[in-house]
Amino acid sequence: MRLKLLGAGGGRLGSLAGLGRGGAGALALPGCLLYTRTGAAPHLSHDTLREVRGVPGVAHIALPALAEIHDVLEEYKEGAAKFMGMPDAVIYCSLHDPATPCPSGYNTNKTVSLWGSSGRMEVTASKFMDIQRAIQPDWFQCISDGDTISGEAGRKRAKKSVDRSLSFLDICLQLQEKSPELQGSVMFGAIEGGDVLEERLRSARETAKRPVGGFLLDGFQGSAMAKETKLKLIASVTAELPEDKPRIIHGVGKPDEVLECIERGVDIFESFFPFQVTERGCALVFSYNFHPDPETTVLTQNGIQDLEKNGAQEDQEEVSKADPEMTPFEISLKDKKYHDDFGPVLEGCSCYCCQRHTRAYVHHLLVTNELLAGVLLMMHNLQHYFGFFGAVRDALRDSKLEQLKELVFRQALQRH
């Protein structure tokens, strides 16, 4: 794995090359991973996923689903990627599923709890590496204690999370050396420490001393931590990390938050956000077209007009009551006002859904609980989200990140 940075201002523009066992995989930076549930993008088959443009070169799989079939993978012997019908995919295995909240208070000095469909599984560092040997991932997050929800965990608990995570990391690095199946795998060391700056810095410095292939900024999921605290910690941590290794962050998905993290030196994000939007029966319609050329601003105008049009106070109050999780970057196609709207989900969008279907049709699918609704929305939301990361890289290349940020932040404020 080779990290090449182009030195653009405001973020780390570049690429990761030589990925996967064959070394042919690549990931443009800043970028995101393809969110999957046991190897398939939710709602989509491998064939429908091929219709989505800009799919990242690295697929993200959470450990709990694979830990539940550990014995099957062990017997299969050829790794999870081939088992799931994705033999050429580059696989990143994280400890938890970003779209599934983990109950707090179950980690110990020796074990970390995973939460799968069959409930809680306690995993030691040794057991964790046994599972990784069966999965044979290209990248994997080292087992760590990230159970430090801000406001609930004090300084003592933050210190314990760092101590435990470093202890787990040392055991896993030793076991990786002795595992032929994991010689081609890259381990990402987790930076823990809750909201305590000294512990975060200690975690970053100590993890950076060890022979890890990259870094994971953990514990920033959810909204429990104050935004200013979160951004200050991220900036302080990335300043301690070597420039030549990638940095992944878990649990950050909203476009405005992604941009703030990119400015502070984060390289790679997950793509669970489009999945959450799809599950709400919503479509991403935010604009990321920062080009001043009037001929290329169809999406921009459409996105902003749409957010304004759909921001009518009474409608919005109704929708947010129905789903408090809804963000300013999406519209709810369950809303009855779309029953006779024969325009595409997003004007100017080139995705499969927008090229062939109308808002009225997707609305009909949603209110009749048709499975096709999730398929079409997922195709649109993923392509739009991947396109956003393409726009981020273009903005960095053209030194226009400020313009993109201003455009996205203006939309972020539309509905507050």
Side-chain angles (χ1 to χ4, degrees):
M1 183 171 78
R2 298 180 306 280
L3 174 62
K4 183 183 174 192
L5 293 175
L6 303 177
R12 283 161 52 96
L13 178 68
S15 64
L16 271 175
L19 307 183
R21 300 300 165 115
L27 184 68
L29 301 179
C32 67
L33 309 167
L34 170 67
Y35 174 71
T36 76
R37 293 206 142 175
T38 328
H43 301 289
L44 305 183
S45 67
H46 294 321
D47 288 333
T48 45
L49 182 63
R50 286 193 191 103
E51 297 288 337
V52 177
R53 294 184 190 172
V55 176
V58 181
H60 172 204
I61 299 174
L63 185 62
L66 297 175
E68 288 174 326
I69 57 165
H70 174 211
D71 53 342
V72 176
L73 289 171
E74 208 164 46
E75 200 175 320
Y76 181 65
K77 291 187 173 58
E78 295 187 62
K82 191 172 177 187
F83 179 74
M84 297 178 300
M86 305 166 68
D88 303 321
V90 178
I91 302 289
Y92 167 65
C93 183
S94 68
L95 198 57
H96 303 291
D97 186 323
T100 308
C102 297
S104 183
Y106 290 91
N107 293 349
T108 70
N109 288 337
K110 294 276 190 290
T111 66
V112 167
S113 287
L114 304 180
W115 301 85
S117 55
S118 58
R120 180 164 79 106
M121 295 168 276
E122 283 194 298
V123 178
T124 61
S126 175
K127 173 74 171 168
F128 169 81
M129 291 301 281
D130 284 344
I131 300 169
Q132 294 298 347
R133 272 194 289 274
I135 296 170
Q136 297 172 30
D138 299 286
W139 299 355
F140 65 98
Q141 170 196 347
C142 184
I143 187 172
S144 64
D145 176 19
D147 184 13
T148 50
I149 297 165
S150 190
E152 291 180 24
R155 186 174 289 269
K156 192 175 169 188
R157 180 66 184 86
K159 181 180 186 305
K160 194 180 281 186
S161 79
V162 176
D163 291 341
R164 285 175 177 173
S165 299
L166 290 171
S167 166
F168 291 146
L169 180 59
D170 288 335
I171 295 167
C172 291
L173 284 166
Q174 283 176 0
L175 290 171
Q176 186 182 17
E177 266 186 48
K178 299 170 188 166
S179 308
E181 305 92 332
L182 295 176
Q183 289 314 300
S185 300
V186 175
M187 191 190 298
F188 280 70
I191 312 295
E192 303 292 356
D195 59 0
V196 180
L197 179 60
E198 296 90 320
E199 291 304 326
R200 281 280 174 188
L201 293 176
R202 180 167 75 92
S203 181
R205 287 170 191 148
E206 287 299 322
T207 307
K209 287 177 188 172
R210 289 154 168 85
V212 293
F215 303 95
L216 159 71
L217 279 64
D218 194 27
F220 294 106
Q221 298 90 325
S223 54
M225 194 184 287
K227 185 177 169 181
E228 298 73 33
T229 308
K230 189 184 286 192
L231 295 178
K232 185 185 171 192
L233 288 172
I234 290 168
S236 304
V237 163
T238 55
E240 295 292 327
L241 300 176
E243 292 283 314
D244 61 345
K245 290 180 181 177
R247 300 93 176 258
I248 295 179
I249 193 164
H250 281 183
V252 174
K254 292 175 192 162
D256 53 339
E257 294 176 0
V258 165
L259 288 171
E260 288 173 325
C261 290
I262 285 170
E263 282 188 310
R264 287 160 181 80
V266 177
D267 298 321
I268 303 167
F269 300 78
E270 301 156 318
S271 59
F272 66 94
F273 179 62
F275 166 65
Q276 291 178 325
V277 172
T278 300
E279 293 300 278
R280 294 193 274 271
C282 294
L284 291 172
V285 294
F286 72 97
S287 168
Y288 47 71
N289 195 329
F290 59 91
H291 293 285
D293 178 358
E295 284 186 22
T296 62
T297 54
V298 181
L299 265 174
T300 306
Q301 289 164 354
N302 177 266
I304 291 177
Q305 281 167 11
D306 215 40
L307 289 167
E308 285 167 358
K309 190 170 69 183
N310 292 299
Q313 200 57 41
E314 63 279 9
D315 285 349
Q316 206 38 54
E317 279 172 12
E318 214 173 288
V319 170
S320 55
K321 267 182 211 159
D323 198 332
E325 295 294 310
M326 211 176 140
T327 68
F329 303 104
E330 61 202 83
I331 55 170
S332 175
L333 289 172
K334 287 179 180 174
D335 196 310
K336 57 184 178 290
K337 68 184 171 193
Y338 295 116
H339 82 281
D340 60 353
D341 185 337
F342 303 115
V345 170
L346 180 59
E347 199 70 53
C349 176
S350 63
C351 82
Y352 181 95
C353 175
C354 291
Q355 291 298 308
R356 290 167 177 77
H357 301 294
T358 62
R359 290 175 170 189
Y361 179 58
V362 179
H363 169 78
H364 156 71
L365 293 173
L366 284 165
V367 296
T368 54
N369 290 320
E370 280 290 344
L371 293 175
L372 183 58
V375 176
L376 294 176
L377 280 175
M378 197 73 200
M379 291 174 88
H380 167 78
N381 289 333
L382 279 178
Q383 184 163 317
H384 194 68
Y385 197 66
F386 299 153
F388 163 63
F389 276 92
V392 171
R393 292 189 292 272
D394 290 345
L396 282 169
R397 200 171 286 119
D398 301 341
S399 302
K400 295 275 174 64
L401 192 68
E402 272 308 310
Q403 286 93 317
L404 176 59
K405 202 175 154 193
E406 188 187 329
L407 173 65
V408 169
F409 273 65
R410 196 158 82 237
Q411 294 168 86
L413 296 170
Q414 290 279 331
R415 293 180 176 179
H416 293 303

